[in-house]
Amino acid sequence: MEIIKEQFEVRQYNGKLDFKDIPELKLVEAELMKAVSDTNGTVRDMCIHILDAGGKRIRPLLVIYSGLIFGENTPELLQTAVAAELIHMASLIHDDIVDNSVLRRSRPSINSIWGNNFAVLGGDYLFAKAFGILSSKNLNCGMEYMVEAIQSMCGGEIVQAEDRFNCDCSLEEYYEKIACKTAILLKCCCQAGAAAQNAAQEEIELIGEYGLNLGLAFQITDDILDLCGSSELTGKPKREDLRQGIISMPIIYLLGNKANHHWVKNVIEERKFDDDTISKICSVIAKTGIMEKCYDRVRIHIEKAQKSLDNLPDSYHKEILYRLADMVYARMN
Amino acid sequence: MEIIKEQFEVRQYNGKLDFKDIPELKLVEAELMKAVSDTNGTVRDMCIHILDAGGKRIRPLLVIYSGLIFGENTPELLQTAVAAELIHMASLIHDDIVDNSVLRRSRPSINSIWGNNFAVLGGDYLFAKAFGILSSKNLNCGMEYMVEAIQSMCGGEIVQAEDRFNCDCSLEEYYEKIACKTAILLKCCCQAGAAAQNAAQEEIELIGEYGLNLGLAFQITDDILDLCGSSELTGKPKREDLRQGIISMPIIYLLGNKANHHWVKNVIEERKFDDDTISKICSVIAKTGIMEKCYDRVRIHIEKAQKSLDNLPDSYHKEILYRLADMVYARMN
């Protein structure tokens, strides 16, 4: 990949993984606005609120750039990308109901402004809108991948909800959950983009591997940031996941540490999440090298993601995807 | 239609609009069970709960019987019918969150057993399952009609939620809401069935008219029953809609009655729904001939529905649809 890196002039984006300046994503932004512009009243207000809150638009970027490796840009690719972002938005709205979250992307969440009842319907509306786009344009490939992604997300979120405060959660189970709730959508975005351009089945699988590993790296990073990052980076209150009983990778490693197992298990099971206790958990995680172990895992997935790209046709767009993976790592440091 | 009625031996079903004994619906039932059988844990429990609660299975009946007017039964028709019922189930789960309902089909609602967070995800899962079936079998027609139906339902539910306790709601606005939240799905079920059998566009429109009017008749009946029916028939606590501020047809007529306008408006706007007041509202509705006016409306829609069938090819299945419309009326008496 080193040669490719030199062959292409790679545009620089800011470190916050915000790609809205990329020309293709400007089109996505305009299409997203168009998609919600035929609404009115509360639906419209909710849609505009979530559009304005921004977001990294990684999913449409993955659809389009995965597609562009295999051919020129097409309206179908753009519409698949728009549908992917609408599905992501819908799932965020519903997740915030599930988690009772009051903040999303540093702004009040839809449920905290309009209440759960409107938030349920707002999410449904965006799901339907996404499928409307995919079905009206006969984007069957996109449809299949997006359906797979939604089924995974729901399944993952449900298992996560069942598994709250469960200190017996294994690293394997953690991976299963983050794959379902985050990584499979990223994988499906990449695959939908490639499939829309008639890539070969093995190419679709490789780009899917890229997306999956990028998603795993991204979610593990998110879980690290929840414990150690600033609210500014995550847009959510710090340590919210832990308070909600979500057992993430650093906590699994901490529970696996004999010296700390019992008191940490007791804290979680008894839900004793006062500020001092949470600070203690974070400081033990930092002192015992657990952060480094998690970073190593992130690195492994980024490398796997980048390696998956090696056997795909070289192109400027592949290079951007390669760099995107590096940026996930950079986000933590 | 009289001749047709004699030409065919029409099977009798019980007056409760329960069609599960119809052979085609037994297949639907088996497929519904199959559709949820690859789930586990809480998802599975929620799905089984809602399947076991029964329901009239009118939507799959409409898909299949509309289709059978135009050709032999096919696996595609069956799968479209299954998807339609899954979408209906998903929307019921979400509606119960929106309305804070504790009962559905005389049983505790999903949200009252598992909480809103699981109910949101359970509904999403069933939506995704339905779209998964439609996309994996390349049922593009079904997909388009179902997407239209979901968009309408969300839009209708949102407007209804916005419009609670609004005593200025006109009859036109009421019609718009019940079309969106109920009748368009029935219309789309009929159209999806006919389209799956390659019916001509004007035939698809006629069968759609049937479904729309059947749906309007059905929802007006439901609204009458909410005020005057028994909980046994509706499976929901009596007068729950009124307590929730939903302004239905009988209430609109009552508000349009000069002698009663002011006190009724005051009751609704001040939310003074004690048992005595609600009894008074119901007794005034009964005494002032409002029920008859509502029944007349139901009758008009049933006749319109049946008239739409006149220009479609005669068949046993058309006859059943004709009789089905009569049964909606019979339900009230």
Side-chain angles (χ1 to χ4, degrees):
Chain A
M1 289 298 295
E2 281 313 303
I3 303 159
I4 301 164
K5 273 192 185 173
E6 287 158 23
Q7 273 176 353
F8 295 92
E9 178 218 349
V10 177
R11 280 169 287 190
Q12 294 294 321
Y13 313 115
N14 67 50
K16 275 191 179 174
L17 296 183
D18 183 339
F19 304 103
K20 282 206 286 290
D21 284 340
I22 295 182
E24 291 87 355
L25 287 191
K26 286 192 172 168
L27 289 177
V28 169
E29 216 56 29
E31 287 295 313
L32 284 171
M33 196 48 89
K34 224 160 96 183
V36 306
S37 64
D38 63 350
T39 59
N40 47 43
T42 308
V43 192
R44 191 186 174 84
D45 295 344
M46 289 191 288
C47 290
I48 301 286
H49 178 84
I50 193 148
L51 266 183
D52 280 353
K56 296 172 280 290
R57 309 290 189 245
I58 282 187
R59 290 150 196 86
L61 180 79
L62 290 177
V63 173
I64 295 177
Y65 275 49
S66 297
L68 291 179
I69 295 177
F70 304 99
E72 294 292 303
N73 207 346
T74 63
E76 287 73 24
L77 202 54
L78 177 64
Q79 293 303 328
T80 307
V82 170
E85 187 65 13
L86 290 172
I87 286 168
H88 173 57
M89 287 176 173
S91 76
L92 293 183
I93 295 177
H94 282 183
D95 286 354
D96 285 342
I97 302 172
V98 173
D99 298 338
N100 251 316
S101 304
V102 293
L103 276 186
R104 165 67 64 184
R105 294 172 177 165
S106 305
R107 290 167 137 227
S109 61
I110 298 269
N111 48 311
S112 75
I113 300 177
W114 285 276
N116 280 350
N117 46 1
F118 280 104
V120 170
L121 297 168
D124 288 351
Y125 189 86
L126 289 178
F127 275 131
K129 198 81 206 173
F131 284 115
I133 289 171
L134 294 171
S135 90
S136 70
K137 314 274 176 189
N138 275 327
L139 303 169
N140 293 344
C141 286
M143 183 68 86
E144 268 182 60
Y145 288 113
M146 291 304 132
V147 164
E148 181 191 338
I150 296 183
Q151 285 186 317
S152 283
M153 285 194 290
C154 296
E157 288 288 341
I158 290 174
V159 174
Q160 177 171 291
E162 289 173 324
D163 248 16
R164 276 171 210 248
F165 305 103
N166 172 15
C167 293
D168 298 325
C169 176
S170 69
L171 199 61
E172 223 175 352
E173 287 164 333
Y174 166 76
Y175 264 107
E176 177 69 22
K177 271 183 274 184
I178 66 169
C180 285
K181 74 175 193 151
T182 307
I184 289 175
L185 176 56
L186 269 58
K187 173 186 150 198
C188 289
C189 285
C190 294
Q191 293 186 313
Q197 307 283 68
N198 298 314
Q201 192 52 43
E202 60 183 50
E203 292 173 323
I204 294 175
E205 269 159 38
L206 282 171
I207 198 79
E209 270 301 295
Y210 165 83
L212 183 73
N213 280 288
L214 185 77
L216 295 174
F218 193 81
Q219 186 59 53
I220 299 170
T221 308
D222 232 35
D223 290 346
I224 296 172
L225 290 174
D226 179 67
L227 284 171
C228 309
S230 71
S231 295
E232 265 174 53
L233 258 176
T234 60
K236 291 190 287 188
K238 212 170 158 183
R239 291 137 195 190
E240 189 55 28
D241 288 347
L242 180 56
R243 283 179 217 272
Q244 299 257 352
I246 296 174
I247 311 298
S248 64
M249 184 180 275
I251 302 295
I252 290 172
Y253 281 139
L254 186 59
L255 284 163
N257 177 315
K258 269 191 188 161
N260 292 293
H261 178 82
H262 286 294
W263 74 268
V264 176
K265 187 175 154 86
N266 184 265
V267 164
I268 293 169
E269 288 182 348
E270 304 296 323
R271 307 181 190 195
K272 293 177 192 156
F273 297 122
D274 57 278
D275 289 347
D276 285 351
T277 310
I278 288 196
S279 293
K280 190 178 163 193
I281 286 180
C282 294
S283 102
V284 176
I285 285 175
K287 277 185 210 151
T288 48
I290 285 175
M291 273 307 144
E292 287 69 27
K293 277 174 84 172
C294 296
Y295 284 148
D296 286 348
R297 287 272 177 179
V298 173
R299 189 72 248 165
I300 288 169
H301 292 296
I302 288 168
E303 282 165 8
K304 273 195 191 176
Q306 291 174 330
K307 211 170 141 49
S308 309
L309 296 176
D310 282 346
N311 289 322
L312 295 176
D314 290 341
S315 75
Y316 166 74
H317 301 99
K318 177 168 118 170
E319 172 65 7
I320 296 287
L321 294 184
Y322 192 96
R323 298 286 296 264
L324 175 60
D326 279 331
M327 286 182 191
V328 173
Y329 195 72
R331 185 162 168 247
M332 294 187 306
N333 297 302
Chain B
M1 289 297 294
E2 282 314 303
I3 303 158
I4 300 165
K5 273 191 185 174
E6 287 159 23
Q7 274 176 352
F8 295 91
E9 178 217 351
V10 176
R11 280 169 287 188
Q12 293 294 319
Y13 313 114
N14 67 50
K16 276 192 179 175
L17 297 184
D18 183 339
F19 305 103
K20 282 205 287 290
D21 284 342
I22 296 181
E24 292 87 355
L25 287 191
K26 285 192 173 170
L27 289 178
V28 169
E29 215 58 26
E31 287 294 314
L32 283 171
M33 198 45 93
K34 223 160 96 183
V36 306
S37 64
D38 63 350
T39 58
N40 47 45
T42 308
V43 192
R44 190 186 174 87
D45 295 344
M46 289 190 287
C47 290
I48 301 285
H49 178 84
I50 194 147
L51 266 183
D52 278 354
K56 297 172 278 293
R57 309 286 190 248
I58 282 186
R59 290 150 197 87
L61 180 80
L62 290 177
V63 173
I64 293 177
Y65 275 49
S66 297
L68 291 178
I69 296 176
F70 303 100
E72 295 291 304
N73 208 346
T74 63
E76 287 73 26
L77 201 54
L78 176 63
Q79 293 303 329
T80 306
V82 169
E85 186 66 13
L86 290 173
I87 286 168
H88 173 57
M89 285 177 174
S91 77
L92 292 183
I93 296 177
H94 282 183
D95 286 354
D96 285 342
I97 302 172
V98 173
D99 299 337
N100 251 317
S101 304
V102 292
L103 277 186
R104 165 67 66 183
R105 294 171 178 168
S106 305
R107 291 168 137 225
S109 62
I110 297 271
N111 48 312
S112 75
I113 302 177
W114 285 277
N116 280 351
N117 46 0
F118 280 103
V120 170
L121 297 168
D124 287 350
Y125 189 86
L126 290 177
F127 274 131
K129 198 81 205 171
F131 283 115
I133 289 171
L134 295 170
S135 91
S136 70
K137 313 274 177 194
N138 275 325
L139 303 168
N140 294 343
C141 286
M143 182 70 85
E144 268 183 61
Y145 288 113
M146 291 305 133
V147 164
E148 181 191 336
I150 295 183
Q151 285 185 318
S152 283
M153 284 194 289
C154 295
E157 288 288 342
I158 289 173
V159 174
Q160 176 172 291
E162 288 172 327
D163 247 15
R164 275 169 210 250
F165 306 102
N166 172 14
C167 293
D168 298 324
C169 176
S170 68
L171 200 61
E172 223 174 355
E173 287 163 332
Y174 167 77
Y175 264 108
E176 177 68 22
K177 270 183 276 185
I178 65 168
C180 284
K181 73 175 194 152
T182 306
I184 289 175
L185 176 56
L186 269 58
K187 173 186 149 199
C188 288
C189 284
C190 295
Q191 293 185 313
Q197 307 282 69
N198 298 314
Q201 193 52 42
E202 60 182 51
E203 292 173 322
I204 294 175
E205 270 161 39
L206 283 170
I207 197 80
E209 270 303 294
Y210 165 82
L212 183 74
N213 279 288
L214 185 77
L216 295 174
F218 193 81
Q219 186 60 52
I220 299 170
T221 309
D222 233 36
D223 290 346
I224 296 173
L225 290 175
D226 179 67
L227 284 172
C228 310
S230 70
S231 294
E232 265 174 53
L233 256 177
T234 60
K236 290 191 286 188
K238 211 170 159 181
R239 291 141 194 188
E240 188 56 26
D241 287 347
L242 180 56
R243 285 180 215 272
Q244 300 258 351
I246 296 173
I247 310 298
S248 64
M249 185 181 274
I251 303 294
I252 290 172
Y253 282 138
L254 186 60
L255 283 164
N257 177 315
K258 268 191 190 161
N260 292 293
H261 177 82
H262 286 294
W263 74 267
V264 176
K265 187 174 153 87
N266 184 265
V267 164
I268 293 169
E269 288 182 348
E270 304 295 322
R271 307 178 191 196
K272 294 177 193 155
F273 297 122
D274 58 279
D275 289 349
D276 284 352
T277 311
I278 288 195
S279 293
K280 190 179 163 194
I281 287 179
C282 295
S283 102
V284 176
I285 284 175
K287 276 184 211 153
T288 49
I290 285 176
M291 274 306 145
E292 287 68 26
K293 277 174 84 173
C294 296
Y295 286 147
D296 287 346
R297 287 272 178 177
V298 172
R299 189 73 249 164
I300 288 169
H301 292 296
I302 288 168
E303 283 165 5
K304 273 195 190 175
Q306 291 174 329
K307 211 171 143 45
S308 308
L309 296 176
D310 283 346
N311 289 321
L312 294 177
D314 289 342
S315 75
Y316 165 74
H317 301 99
K318 177 169 118 168
E319 171 66 7
I320 296 286
L321 294 184
Y322 193 96
R323 297 287 295 264
L324 175 61
D326 279 331
M327 286 182 190
V328 173
Y329 195 71
R331 185 163 168 247
M332 294 186 306
N333 297 300

